[in-house]
Amino acid sequence: MRTLLRGGKVVSMDPAVGDLPQGDVLIEDGRIAAVAATVDAADAEVVDATGWIVMPGFVDTHRHTWQTAFQGWPRGVAVR
């Protein structure tokens, strides 16, 4: 399966690719196959990402690890 995210603002975090004000990200079988200003993938399902920020490589980045330190604190104790 191939999916092309087309026309989004690509924030790659990869100095070799850089950030693209408008770019495409091709995903093949759940893996990033290409990131460029324009990717030719005629047989891919196209998702219009115009107006979206696309950050290839990030997977489930929502974390609250900072809260782990407070797991052992008794309830009702104020932290100053």
Side-chain angles (χ1 to χ4, degrees):
M1 178 175 187
R2 295 171 54 140
T3 304
L4 179 64
L5 305 176
R6 174 163 282 153
K9 176 167 178 52
V10 178
V11 181
S12 74
M13 309 271 192
D14 181 347
V17 174
D19 295 339
L20 306 169
Q22 190 170 16
D24 298 346
V25 176
L26 178 63
I27 303 163
E28 292 180 340
D29 298 321
R31 295 186 179 266
I32 298 167
V35 178
T38 304
V39 174
D40 183 26
D43 60 336
E45 175 186 351
V46 177
V47 175
D48 182 8
T50 303
W52 294 4
I53 296 173
V54 181
M55 298 179 74
F58 279 77
V59 178
D60 191 16
T61 61
H62 186 100
R63 293 282 176 244
H64 293 270
T65 52
W66 63 271
Q67 292 175 325
T68 302
F70 297 108
Q71 291 293 327
W73 284 67
R75 300 250 188 254
V77 174
V79 178
R80 296 179 198 243

